[in-house]
PDB file of all heavy atoms in Angstrom:
ATOM      1  N   GLU D 247     -11.142   4.328 -11.718  1.00 89.00           N
ATOM      2  CA  GLU D 247     -11.409   2.918 -12.020  1.00 89.00           C
ATOM      3  C   GLU D 247     -12.813   2.618 -11.529  1.00 89.00           C
ATOM      4  O   GLU D 247     -13.020   2.436 -10.333  1.00 89.00           O
ATOM      5  CB  GLU D 247     -10.456   1.991 -11.253  1.00 89.00           C
ATOM      6  CG  GLU D 247      -9.012   2.400 -11.230  1.00 89.00           C
ATOM      7  CD  GLU D 247      -8.159   1.534 -12.144  1.00 89.00           C
ATOM      8  OE1 GLU D 247      -8.738   0.869 -13.013  1.00 89.00           O
ATOM      9  OE2 GLU D 247      -6.937   1.564 -11.987  1.00 89.00           O
ATOM     10  N   HIS D 254      -7.898  -2.969  -7.143  1.00 96.00           N
ATOM     11  CA  HIS D 254      -7.912  -1.612  -7.683  1.00 96.00           C
ATOM     12  C   HIS D 254      -8.594  -0.645  -6.726  1.00 96.00           C
ATOM     13  O   HIS D 254      -9.672  -0.934  -6.215  1.00 96.00           O
ATOM     14  CB  HIS D 254      -8.663  -1.556  -9.021  1.00 96.00           C
ATOM     15  CG  HIS D 254      -7.936  -2.211 -10.155  1.00 96.00           C
ATOM     16  ND1 HIS D 254      -8.122  -3.525 -10.482  1.00 96.00           N
ATOM     17  CD2 HIS D 254      -7.009  -1.717 -11.026  1.00 96.00           C
ATOM     18  CE1 HIS D 254      -7.331  -3.828 -11.519  1.00 96.00           C
ATOM     19  NE2 HIS D 254      -6.650  -2.754 -11.861  1.00 96.00           N
ATOM     20  N   GLU D 400      -0.095  -8.525 -11.228  1.00 97.00           N
ATOM     21  CA  GLU D 400       0.852  -7.419 -11.418  1.00 97.00           C
ATOM     22  C   GLU D 400       1.028  -6.599 -10.140  1.00 97.00           C
ATOM     23  O   GLU D 400       0.062  -6.085  -9.579  1.00 97.00           O
ATOM     24  CB  GLU D 400       0.345  -6.509 -12.553  1.00 97.00           C
ATOM     25  CG  GLU D 400       1.240  -5.296 -12.735  1.00 97.00           C
ATOM     26  CD  GLU D 400       0.756  -4.358 -13.843  1.00 97.00           C
ATOM     27  OE1 GLU D 400      -0.030  -4.780 -14.700  1.00 97.00           O
ATOM     28  OE2 GLU D 400       1.201  -3.191 -13.824  1.00 97.00           O
ATOM     29  N   ILE D 401       2.277  -6.473  -9.720  1.00 98.00           N
ATOM     30  CA  ILE D 401       2.559  -5.664  -8.529  1.00 98.00           C
ATOM     31  C   ILE D 401       3.445  -4.485  -8.915  1.00 98.00           C
ATOM     32  O   ILE D 401       3.391  -3.419  -8.312  1.00 98.00           O
ATOM     33  CB  ILE D 401       3.177  -6.546  -7.417  1.00 98.00           C
ATOM     34  CG1 ILE D 401       3.241  -5.795  -6.100  1.00 98.00           C
ATOM     35  CG2 ILE D 401       4.533  -7.087  -7.778  1.00 98.00           C
ATOM     36  CD1 ILE D 401       3.541  -6.679  -4.926  1.00 98.00           C
ATOM     37  N   ARG D 451      -0.807  -2.912  -3.169  1.00 98.00           N
ATOM     38  CA  ARG D 451      -0.638  -4.312  -3.617  1.00 98.00           C
ATOM     39  C   ARG D 451       0.535  -4.962  -2.897  1.00 98.00           C
ATOM     40  O   ARG D 451       0.509  -6.151  -2.587  1.00 98.00           O
ATOM     41  CB  ARG D 451      -0.452  -4.370  -5.129  1.00 98.00           C
ATOM     42  CG  ARG D 451      -1.723  -3.980  -5.837  1.00 98.00           C
ATOM     43  CD  ARG D 451      -1.784  -4.496  -7.245  1.00 98.00           C
ATOM     44  NE  ARG D 451      -2.913  -3.853  -7.905  1.00 98.00           N
ATOM     45  CZ  ARG D 451      -3.078  -3.783  -9.207  1.00 98.00           C
ATOM     46  NH1 ARG D 451      -2.187  -4.351 -10.013  1.00 98.00           N
ATOM     47  NH2 ARG D 451      -4.134  -3.189  -9.719  1.00 98.00           N
TER      48      ARG D 451
HETATM   49  P1  ATP Q  27      -3.562  -3.313 -13.660  1.00 83.15           P
HETATM   50  O1  ATP Q  27      -3.182  -4.027 -14.939  1.00 83.15           O
HETATM   51  O2  ATP Q  27      -3.581  -4.188 -12.475  1.00 83.15           O
HETATM   52  O3  ATP Q  27      -4.789  -2.474 -13.800  1.00 83.15           O
HETATM   53  P2  ATP Q  27      -1.846  -1.205 -14.494  1.00 83.15           P
HETATM   54  O4  ATP Q  27      -1.020  -1.937 -15.511  1.00 83.15           O
HETATM   55  O5  ATP Q  27      -3.000  -0.411 -14.970  1.00 83.15           O
HETATM   56  O6  ATP Q  27      -2.375  -2.267 -13.383  1.00 83.15           O
HETATM   57  P3  ATP Q  27       0.339   0.614 -13.990  1.00 83.15           P
HETATM   58  O7  ATP Q  27      -0.127   1.767 -14.768  1.00 83.15           O
HETATM   59  O8  ATP Q  27       1.405  -0.253 -14.573  1.00 83.15           O
HETATM   60  O9  ATP Q  27      -0.929  -0.289 -13.571  1.00 83.15           O
HETATM   61  O10 ATP Q  27       0.738   1.134 -12.526  1.00 83.15           O
HETATM   62  C1  ATP Q  27       1.853   0.648 -11.780  1.00 83.15           C
HETATM   63  C2  ATP Q  27       1.424  -0.147 -10.562  1.00 83.15           C
HETATM   64  O11 ATP Q  27       0.444   0.530  -9.789  1.00 83.15           O
HETATM   65  C3  ATP Q  27       0.769  -1.465 -10.920  1.00 83.15           C
HETATM   66  O12 ATP Q  27       1.735  -2.452 -11.188  1.00 83.15           O
HETATM   67  C4  ATP Q  27      -0.017  -1.771  -9.659  1.00 83.15           C
HETATM   68  O13 ATP Q  27       0.817  -2.346  -8.659  1.00 83.15           O
HETATM   69  C5  ATP Q  27      -0.436  -0.392  -9.180  1.00 83.15           C
HETATM   70  N1  ATP Q  27      -1.814  -0.049  -9.547  1.00 83.15           N
HETATM   71  C6  ATP Q  27      -2.287   0.282 -10.764  1.00 83.15           C
HETATM   72  N2  ATP Q  27      -3.585   0.608 -10.713  1.00 83.15           N
HETATM   73  C7  ATP Q  27      -3.950   0.485  -9.418  1.00 83.15           C
HETATM   74  C8  ATP Q  27      -5.157   0.716  -8.707  1.00 83.15           C
HETATM   75  N3  ATP Q  27      -6.252   1.149  -9.327  1.00 83.15           N
HETATM   76  N4  ATP Q  27      -5.179   0.509  -7.361  1.00 83.15           N
HETATM   77  C9  ATP Q  27      -4.073   0.097  -6.727  1.00 83.15           C
HETATM   78  N5  ATP Q  27      -2.897  -0.122  -7.332  1.00 83.15           N
HETATM   79  C10 ATP Q  27      -2.816   0.064  -8.662  1.00 83.15           C
END
Side-chain angles (χ1 to χ4, degrees):
E247 316 254 18
H254 289 92
E400 176 181 341
I401 190 167
R451 292 202 191 162

